[in-house]
Each structure stands twice: as C-alpha cells, then as structure tokens.
C-alpha cells in the first residue's frame, strides 16, 4: 500500500470496518482513515452497507490529516466523475391564483403591481369604516 500519505493524493485502500456514519479504510499496515457516509457516493446513501462491505478494495482521496490526533479524512466520491445532470426543462407558466378579495381588488393589484401591507391596511380600514357607517344608518332607522 502507501508509505507517504499527503492531502490531495489518491490512494488504494481496503475497507476494514463499517459504521452507520461511514467506513474505515486501511491505507497501509499502520494508517487508516474514515470515509464519512456523505463522501461514499455522489447520490444519497441511506445505508452504507448497501454500497460497501468489509474487505472491498477502494480508491480514496485524502481530504485532510489531523496531525495532533492522527485522524485521516477520506473520500471515495472525490475519485469518481460526477454524474451528468439532466438539463432542466422550463416549467409552463401557471395562471395567478385568486387568494380571496373582490374581483375589483385583483384588477387593481394587476394594474399597480405589488401592494404593500400599508396599502392593504388602508383599504381594510376604509372598508371597515364604510360597513360601520352603514350599520349605524340601519340602527338609527
């Protein structure tokens, strides 16, 4: 296997253990690193056991080495070409949704564009005052 391991190098290793969070890979007789589950494949991996088994020979890229603790972070995904993404198709435009209010209000909104909350509040207060005045007229009769 490899004697001198540097960040950024791609090396061969052997899977020595699997945990729910990743796989331990032996790089040589003395050194091993961890491939986090997010670095196993380009797609989502729910269960690492679906992708790897103990004893698999894998190609890994050395992502980082913590000199103090001796921990080595590895990636299988970084050694593989990214899958091509299909071209995004443009979605058809949908007509605007009527979220309540009167037809005249919607017409006015389209003509003006975006109404602020302050504008809406003025309209609501005006409507409320008109309704209150109408109720007061009826109460006096």
């Amino acid at each position: 296997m490899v004697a001198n391991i540097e960040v950024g190098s791609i090396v061969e290793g052997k899977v020595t253990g699997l945990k729910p969070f990743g796989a331990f890979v032996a790089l040589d007789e003395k050194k091993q690193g961890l491939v986090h589950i997010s670095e196993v494949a380009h797609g989502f991996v729910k269960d690492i056991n679906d992708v790897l088994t103990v004893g698999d020979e894998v190609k890994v890229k050395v992502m980082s080495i913590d000199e103090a603790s001796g921990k080595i972070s590895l990636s299988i995904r970084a050694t593989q070409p990214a899958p091509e993404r299909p071209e995004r198709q443009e979605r058809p435009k949908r007509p605007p949704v009527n979220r309540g209010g009167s037809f005249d209000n919607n017409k006015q909104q389209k003509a003006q564009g975006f109404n602020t909350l302050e504008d809406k509040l003025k309209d609501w207060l005006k409507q409320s005052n008109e309704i209150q005045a109408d109720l007061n007229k009826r109460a006096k009769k």
Side-chain angles (χ1 to χ4, degrees), residues 2 7-8 13 19 29 33 36 47 50 62 64 66-68 78 103 107-108 120 140:
V2 179
V7 174
K19 294 288 181 187
E29 291 76 30
H36 188 267
D47 184 359
D50 294 340
V62 180
S64 67
D66 185 343
E67 298 293 337
F103 180 74
K107 246 184 176 178
Q108 185 182 14
K120 286 283 193 188
K140 289 181 182 179

Side-chain angles (χ1 to χ4, degrees), residues 11-137:
V11 295
E12 292 277 332
K14 188 177 217 173
V15 177
T16 58
L18 295 174
K19 294 288 181 187
F21 55 84
F24 291 98
V25 176
L27 303 175
D28 60 22
E29 291 76 30
K30 296 179 184 177
K31 295 185 181 181
Q32 77 172 3
L34 175 70
V35 178
H36 188 267
I37 192 167
S38 65
E39 291 294 328
V40 170
H42 284 284
F44 175 73
V45 177
K46 183 175 183 177
D47 184 359
I48 197 161
N49 295 297
D50 294 340
V51 182
L52 296 171
T53 56
V54 173
D56 284 352
E57 293 282 335
V58 292
K59 193 184 291 188
V60 294
K61 181 175 183 176
V62 180
M63 303 305 284
S64 67
I65 301 173
D66 185 343
E67 298 293 337
S69 65
K71 292 182 179 179
I72 302 172
S73 177
L74 305 170
S75 173
I76 296 172
R77 177 173 84 162
T79 65
Q80 303 167 343
E84 286 189 33
R85 299 178 101 193
E87 278 191 36
R88 293 185 80 167
Q89 296 177 358
E90 190 152 333
R91 293 182 186 178
K93 301 269 185 197
R94 289 190 282 175
V97 177
N98 184 356
R99 302 241 186 248
S102 68
F103 180 74
D104 291 336
N105 248 356
N106 287 341
K107 246 184 176 178
Q108 185 182 14
Q109 262 187 337
K110 287 180 186 175
Q112 287 182 333
F114 179 78
N115 282 347
T116 64
L117 187 57
E118 188 176 345
D119 294 337
K120 286 283 193 188
L121 184 58
K122 287 177 186 174
D123 289 343
W124 294 330
L125 287 171
K126 180 180 173 191
Q127 289 174 355
S128 176
N129 288 338
E130 288 171 356
I131 292 170
Q132 188 64 45
D134 189 43
L135 288 172
N136 288 342
K137 282 182 188 176

